[in-house]
Amino acid sequence: MKRIYSTDVMELEEGEKCKVAGWLQEVKNLGGIAFFKVRDRKGVFQVVLVKKEIGEEFSELVDIPRESVVEIEGKIQHTDQTELGYEILPTSVKVDSTAGKPLPLGVIDKVDADMDTRFDNRFMDLRKEEKMAIFQVRNLLLRGIRDFFHKEGFIEVNTPKIVAAGAEGGATLFDVDYYGTDAYLAQSPQLFKQMLMGAGLERVYEIAPAYRAEDFDTVRHTSEFISLDFEMSFIESSDDVMDMTSYMIEHSLKYLLKNGSDLLDKLGAEVRVPEHPIKKITHHECIEILEDLGKDWEDEKKVDTEGEKMLGEYVEENYDSDFFFITEFPTHLKKNTFYAMRKDYDPSITTYFDLEYKGQELVSGGQREHRYDVLIAQMDELGLDPDDFESYIKTFKYGMPPHGGIGLGLDRFVQQLLDLENIREAILFPRDTSRLSP
Ligand code: AMO
């Protein structure tokens, strides 16, 4: 008999035969009758064991340890005794795998264990309905994003993660011993995306891990995260890149609302789709707003973590939106990005922007410098040796269109979307300064 899910059982007629399988979540033994609650990835179903009918085997069955994997064949019985409205009367119970005792982590406990215990036993933690739902939402978000890029004529690419030079400055590079040569884990596909513009692909995107040796732990940084990047050619300005970014956010959130409203309800998440165009505030204006709001700076005036939060609340109150762009970042604040195009009327300002979501940076991007001579001059200014970036630089010598793109932290997107306190909740097996296993 073909196995069906807990949700399919509801559709069956009284007395109809079925086969279900899952994890034995709970056993309630009342003496002459016992109840199993069995969970599969879609929900929970109830099995009723009547001692008189089962006979000797009854005592063995009610002793099966919780969280063992069982396969049950039986008949449907409609009932108003349970919330579900139906239960299964078993004709056979097969134990595929017996769970050890005690469990390293409770699955239906009301109170969560501490984070370390949970992540040490992540396979068990993910059995919890509300934890699994996070990754079902993440999956739908990704499907919405891929759907958008496909519609817009972008192709999905994969670039190397073992690289010879960093794209985001030396401080957060992980070293790799590459057959005796120094190499690094890629911080961003940035330089490769640009080379693909030189290759004439015109519209590309990548969804892949990026690595940063962040030397402290925060609730929004991990050492490995999924970077969603796109790059597009023949743009007129960074406005084209911002437009594409906001359409992508809009499309993916609408896709999620359309296909995952049950999951969002389960997680108590209210998703607000941004109205196009998303509000743009220059970095300079941000500083003025923060000054009006009474922010104190210890040293340089810039939008720091506290400033982001204050601006997030300001935009929420005044523009009723979770999103806004900070545009025209001063050149010295984007010091690692030698590839950023600067404003022609004022080279102390870049065409670079961040997209903020609920008071936290979600995206960075802008228009790139595509003119070879200017690019070399910008590298010189930052003390970078063009020889270290030889294969990248070469691309600019033989025909490079005007282009731009972004990087979006997917884990942060899920974190902010679902109001998760810690980015690690949005990652199956997070990597940080103290975690390398599992
Ligand atoms: P940036 O360094 O701002 O830009 O990174 C882009 C986005 O990636 C996310 N992010 C992180 N998420 C989790 N943990 C981290 N340690 C971490 N670091 C970054 C953030 C951030 O906004 N090359 C540019 C992109 C471009 O211009 O195309 C870049 O990587 O959400």
Side-chain angles (χ1 to χ4, degrees), residues 247-402:
Y247 286 131
M248 173 191 76
I249 303 264
E250 184 186 332
H251 184 89
S252 59
L253 292 182
K254 281 189 175 156
Y255 185 96
L256 172 62
L257 282 170
K258 186 165 167 228
N259 298 287
S261 57
D262 53 333
L263 292 167
L264 294 169
D265 287 348
K266 198 181 276 182
L267 291 163
E270 199 200 316
V271 171
R272 299 203 303 172
V273 179
E275 295 239 341
H276 195 81
I278 291 176
K279 177 81 185 153
K280 291 175 189 164
I281 311 178
T282 66
H283 191 273
H284 181 72
E285 287 162 349
C286 285
I287 300 297
E288 287 177 347
I289 295 168
L290 289 172
E291 262 170 351
D292 284 350
L293 293 172
K295 179 168 163 55
D296 279 329
W297 282 274
E298 274 174 18
D299 35 355
E300 191 184 12
K301 287 184 184 169
K302 59 179 184 188
V303 180
D304 53 13
T305 310
E306 183 196 49
E308 285 183 279
K309 220 169 151 243
M310 290 167 76
L311 288 164
E313 281 160 18
Y314 169 87
V315 169
E316 218 291 278
E317 263 166 42
N318 290 280
Y319 301 98
D320 194 27
S321 175
D322 292 334
F323 291 89
F324 69 99
F325 284 106
I326 304 177
T327 62
E328 302 191 3
F329 263 88
T331 304
H332 72 282
L333 290 181
K334 288 274 177 192
K335 47 184 173 289
N336 291 326
T337 45
F338 57 87
Y339 43 73
M341 183 173 276
R342 300 172 186 181
K343 292 278 183 193
D344 46 10
Y345 59 83
D346 184 353
S348 74
I349 301 173
T350 65
T351 62
Y352 264 52
F353 58 82
D354 281 357
L355 175 65
E356 296 277 324
Y357 183 25
K358 298 185 186 173
Q360 179 168 296
E361 178 198 322
L362 175 66
V363 167
S364 256
Q367 179 163 10
R368 322 298 187 189
E369 182 49 72
H370 64 281
R371 295 161 297 183
Y372 178 77
D373 298 344
V374 184
L375 185 66
I376 297 289
Q378 289 187 179
M379 290 183 100
D380 279 350
E381 195 184 297
L382 292 168
L384 294 168
D385 183 355
D387 286 348
D388 291 342
F389 296 87
E390 196 197 340
S391 45
Y392 168 73
I393 294 296
K394 210 199 289 176
T395 327
F396 291 76
K397 269 192 182 170
Y398 304 100
M400 177 64 101

Side-chain angles (χ1 to χ4, degrees), residues 69-105:
V69 175
V70 293
E71 286 182 32
I72 292 163
E73 287 185 31
K75 278 189 309 201
I76 292 295
Q77 172 170 290
H78 289 190
T79 168
D80 48 17
Q81 304 285 312
T82 73
E83 248 178 68
L84 298 170
Y86 61 85
E87 47 198 15
I88 297 167
L89 284 169
T91 47
S92 96
V93 177
K94 181 173 162 240
V95 181
D96 284 336
S97 159
T98 307
K101 282 197 230 176
L103 297 172
L105 198 67

Side-chain angles (χ1 to χ4, degrees), residues 145-311:
I145 288 166
R146 287 199 160 96
D147 188 56
F148 173 78
F149 282 127
H150 178 67
K151 218 169 47 74
E152 288 293 326
F154 282 74
I155 65 161
E156 185 165 2
V157 297
N158 300 101
T159 65
K161 301 303 156 208
I162 305 176
V163 295
E168 298 296 313
T172 63
L173 280 171
F174 275 112
D175 298 328
V176 176
D177 174 0
Y178 194 65
Y179 306 110
T181 302
D182 288 345
Y184 310 97
L185 293 181
Q187 297 161 308
S188 155
Q190 173 68 47
L191 308 183
F192 292 101
K193 285 191 295 180
Q194 290 193 257
M195 286 191 265
L196 294 175
M197 296 303 100
L201 269 69
E202 295 199 23
R203 286 183 168 208
V204 302
Y205 75 101
E206 177 166 12
I207 301 171
Y211 301 91
R212 307 268 170 108
E214 307 284 358
D215 56 8
F216 50 87
D217 277 332
T218 78
V219 294
R220 59 189 204 156
H221 291 91
T222 47
S223 319
E224 181 178 62
F225 65 95
I226 297 299
S227 187
L228 158 65
D229 285 81
F230 75 74
E231 201 71 24
M232 55 195 279
S233 285
F234 299 105
I235 58 169
E236 279 176 15
S237 74
S238 54
D239 285 334
D240 294 340
V241 183
M242 281 187 264
D243 281 348
M244 192 62 81
T245 306
S246 49
Y247 286 131
M248 173 191 76
I249 303 264
E250 184 186 332
H251 184 89
S252 59
L253 292 182
K254 281 189 175 156
Y255 185 96
L256 172 62
L257 282 170
K258 186 165 167 228
N259 298 287
S261 57
D262 53 333
L263 292 167
L264 294 169
D265 287 348
K266 198 181 276 182
L267 291 163
E270 199 200 316
V271 171
R272 299 203 303 172
V273 179
E275 295 239 341
H276 195 81
I278 291 176
K279 177 81 185 153
K280 291 175 189 164
I281 311 178
T282 66
H283 191 273
H284 181 72
E285 287 162 349
C286 285
I287 300 297
E288 287 177 347
I289 295 168
L290 289 172
E291 262 170 351
D292 284 350
L293 293 172
K295 179 168 163 55
D296 279 329
W297 282 274
E298 274 174 18
D299 35 355
E300 191 184 12
K301 287 184 184 169
K302 59 179 184 188
V303 180
D304 53 13
T305 310
E306 183 196 49
E308 285 183 279
K309 220 169 151 243
M310 290 167 76
L311 288 164

Side-chain angles (χ1 to χ4, degrees), residues 42-54:
K42 300 208 172 174
V44 175
F45 52 86
Q46 177 157 288
V47 181
V48 200
L49 303 123
V50 183
K51 193 173 183 179
K52 264 204 314 227
E53 282 172 29
I54 293 179

